[in-house]
Each structure stands twice: as C-alpha cells, then as structure tokens.
Amino acid sequence: MRNKKTDKLCLLFLSIFVSQAFAINASFADSPNVMKCSHQLPPEHHIAKVIDQWAAEIEALSGEEIDVQVFGASSLEKPAENASTVAAGDVQCGFTLNRQWGSNLPLMNVTLNPFTFDHLDKLKKWNSSEAAAILERELLTKGLKNVTWLFSSWQTVLATDRNLLSKLADFEGVKIQGIGPIADASLRALGAVPIDVSGEKAYDALKEKEIDIGVASFSETIGNNYFSLQDQAIVLPLYSQIFHGYVNADWYAGLSEKSKNAIAEAGKSAALWAIEASEISAAAAPQILEENGMKVRRATEIEITNLKAKMRPAFAASFQDATGSEGTSLLKLINGL
C-alpha cells in the first residue's frame, strides 16, 4: 500500500525526469545544424580559400545555427561520389566541377560551349540568369539544392611544345587532353584526337606522350607542373569551369528561415569572391609560368574567330544530341548573356 512518503518520492523522480527531458530538448534546440561539406580542391587553390570564406560567412549570418565543416582535398569523399553521397543524405554538402557530371546531368556541360564566357560581365550575370535557374531545377530532381556557383576559370591554357594556332591544320591528328564526351566534339572538329585523362593523371600522360597538349586552367597548368614538360602556354577564353556547391534538399528543407537566408546570402557573395579570386590568380599565373620556362602567348582575335567557326557548331550538335530540346533552349539563353 502506497503512503505519502512514497508519493513524494515518485513526484520528486518525475520532476527530475521532466527537468532533464526539457534540458535535453533545449540542448538539441540550441545545437547548430552540422553541415559537412566535401570538395576535391587542395587547400592552396584559390577556390578552396573561397569555400572556406563562404563557410565562415554562413556560420556568421546564421548566428551559429549552422556549423559548416569543410573537408577539402578529397579527404571525405572522392570527387565522383560527392553528389551521390549528398543526395543520399550521408553528407550534407558537396562541390562538383560542372563537367564532372558527364552523362548523369549533361545540361551541366553548357558552360563548355567554346568561347561563351569571354568577358567578366558575362560571369557576373550567371548567378541570377535563367540559365542558372534551369540547372538549379535539374539539380533538385537529383535531391540536391544548389547553393552557390563558383567560377574557377574562364581562360584556358593549351600547354604544348608546338607552334599552335598559326593555322587550323596544326591540330590535325594531335592527341589533346579531353574535356568530356560532349565538349570533345569541339576538339575533334579541329582534327585533334581527344584523350580522356583525369587531372591527377595529366602530368604522367604528357610525360609518357599519351597526349601532346594539355588543356587546363591557369591553376591546373601550374598545379600539374605542365611547365616542366611543355615550353609553350597559349591562352584563350575557350572553356569555362564552375565549381558549384549543393546541399541535400531534405536537410535544407528542415532548416530555419534564418539559416536558409544565411546560405542564400553567403552563396551570392561567394560567387563574386570566386570571380575576384580567379582574376587575381590568373593575373599572377603568366609570370609564374614564364619563371618556370614557359613562353606565354595569348591567342589573337583572328585565331579565336577561326577556332570559334569550327568548334561552336560541333559543340552545339553534340550538346543537343545529349540534351534534346532542353539543351537547345539552354544554349540560346547562355549565348544571350
């Protein structure tokens, strides 16, 4: 039979239990949402530094509601696995180079349309463009919410030991580093032979003469030490690359409006920081290459016009074959930037 002493003890234990439950719930409510973010870039890369700045901006604007933990240099996931891992919810955030989507999302190849982004103003228009919005909607079908577009380059370097571009026949039969299944059509239109070589294997491919020409951004040309194998760097606004950041769409949906706004604002700022950082990096690159024995030459307007006449129709045909009417519309939008 229960007595008053037993009842008091029960009430005491119940009070302690309820207090602890409230404390635990309050602790969870006060804890920030962890946002693990995976990318492939080494810490010295200018876009890796922008990503770190972007992460700090999200934390500040969210009032520390979000704890962004950046894992660079492929230390968390391999580049090819970032998107699928984020879509599955195993990691909250990832970055992918747009051409790495390949056939999984061929529309992402649109910035590889030769000589599309040949001026800074076009890069700055991208973030609020309908073309970008179309790609963001496509990413949502993959379970990914795009949160930032970071242009890593708009200038391409052809690393070679040949006197290229004096005439189109210079490319005939030459083995050249490929860009991807869709964009390679523009290289084949020159008579070149694109060879699929990943960035980390490009140095060895050049050394072993598996390819004759390296095709890369300034950062990649320096980072891959092309200057130790080739003596010429021909610079032209050929292909544009974007590292874009995305989060798991379901994870994003569960955030507070304050956190969502923080991610949006930080993403807009980072897009401009990336352009600025890329321009600073590109401005310093020619001297670095020359100091390492490369002769740097910018393509002339006549050379670019001749290349464009061959390469753009070939890319358009290849892109439209892979993407259909959506690709046709997207090309029109991007050409109108």
Side-chain angles (χ1 to χ4, degrees):
M1 184 175 178
R2 294 173 60 179
N3 54 39
K4 290 184 178 179
K5 185 176 182 180
T6 302
D7 288 341
K8 287 181 178 179
L9 284 172
C10 288
L11 287 171
L12 177 63
F13 286 133
L14 179 61
S15 174
I16 292 171
F17 174 79
V18 170
S19 297
Q20 288 178 334
F22 274 117
I24 291 171
N25 285 336
S27 176
F28 280 133
D30 292 339
S31 297
N33 284 289
V34 173
M35 181 176 165
K36 290 184 178 180
C37 199
S38 172
H39 71 77
Q40 71 200 57
L41 299 173
E44 65 273 12
H45 195 286
H46 62 280
I47 295 298
K49 295 174 183 177
V50 169
I51 291 173
D52 289 341
Q53 187 179 358
W54 165 81
E57 186 76 352
I58 289 175
E59 291 183 341
L61 293 177
S62 71
E64 307 299 329
E65 282 186 7
I66 302 177
D67 174 18
V68 187
Q69 300 175 7
V70 177
F71 297 82
S74 304
S75 59
L76 186 61
E77 297 291 340
K78 294 179 180 179
E81 297 172 0
N82 278 337
S84 59
T85 302
V86 174
D90 298 329
V91 174
Q92 294 79 25
C93 164
F95 279 81
T96 296
L97 186 62
N98 65 309
R99 66 184 176 89
Q100 289 173 328
W101 279 97
S103 59
N104 291 323
L105 191 53
L107 285 173
M108 291 295 293
N109 287 269
V110 71
T111 72
L112 301 177
N113 186 25
F115 305 103
T116 293
F117 290 95
D118 55 359
H119 196 280
L120 278 181
D121 287 345
K122 292 184 179 181
L123 301 187
K124 293 175 181 177
K125 289 178 182 178
W126 171 261
N127 211 47
S128 59
S129 70
E130 178 57 23
I134 288 172
L135 295 183
E136 289 171 357
R137 290 194 289 269
E138 286 295 316
L139 286 163
L140 273 178
T141 68
K142 304 287 185 181
L144 303 173
K145 167 68 177 176
N146 202 77
V147 292
T148 192
W149 298 100
L150 308 180
F151 271 97
S152 64
S153 70
W154 63 279
Q155 299 183 76
T156 301
V157 177
L158 303 181
T160 179
D161 56 6
R162 299 163 180 258
N163 183 24
L164 287 180
L165 301 186
S166 60
K167 55 186 183 300
L168 292 179
D170 292 337
F171 289 93
E172 192 67 40
V174 174
K175 293 178 292 184
I176 190 167
Q177 184 177 351
I179 302 298
I182 293 175
D184 282 354
S186 61
L187 297 172
R188 283 191 290 270
L190 301 176
V193 181
I195 305 295
D196 184 19
V197 179
S198 61
E200 58 269 21
K201 296 180 180 178
Y203 179 88
D204 289 337
L206 274 174
K207 185 176 180 180
E208 300 301 322
K209 301 299 182 183
E210 295 172 16
I211 56 175
D212 304 308
I213 303 173
V215 181
S217 65
F218 272 126
S219 295
E220 290 166 333
T221 302
I222 294 170
N224 291 337
N225 295 323
Y226 285 174
F227 48 76
S228 66
L229 299 171
Q230 309 290 68
D231 61 7
Q232 294 188 55
I234 301 171
V235 183
L236 64 172
L238 185 54
Y239 299 119
S240 298
Q241 301 186 118
I242 310 179
F243 274 95
H244 68 109
Y246 45 81
V247 297
N248 178 276
D250 290 337
W251 176 83
Y252 178 83
L255 296 176
S256 70
E257 287 304 310
K258 181 178 181 180
S259 289
K260 289 177 181 177
N261 289 335
I263 290 174
E265 290 305 311
K268 292 176 185 177
S269 296
L272 294 177
W273 297 337
I275 293 172
E276 293 168 359
S278 295
E279 285 302 286
I280 292 171
S281 175
Q287 182 176 344
I288 295 172
L289 293 176
E290 287 171 350
E291 288 173 350
N292 282 278
M294 281 191 115
K295 180 181 179 181
V296 180
R297 181 175 79 82
R298 293 192 177 273
T300 67
E301 287 300 318
I302 292 175
E303 290 169 338
I304 289 173
T305 298
N306 291 338
L307 289 172
K308 188 184 295 187
K310 286 279 189 180
M311 299 181 80
R312 282 173 70 95
F315 176 88
S318 177
F319 185 71
Q320 288 164 2
D321 283 346
T323 59
S325 59
E326 285 183 307
T328 303
S329 300
L330 189 57
L331 267 184
K332 288 179 180 178
L333 287 170
I334 200 169
N335 285 333
L337 285 175

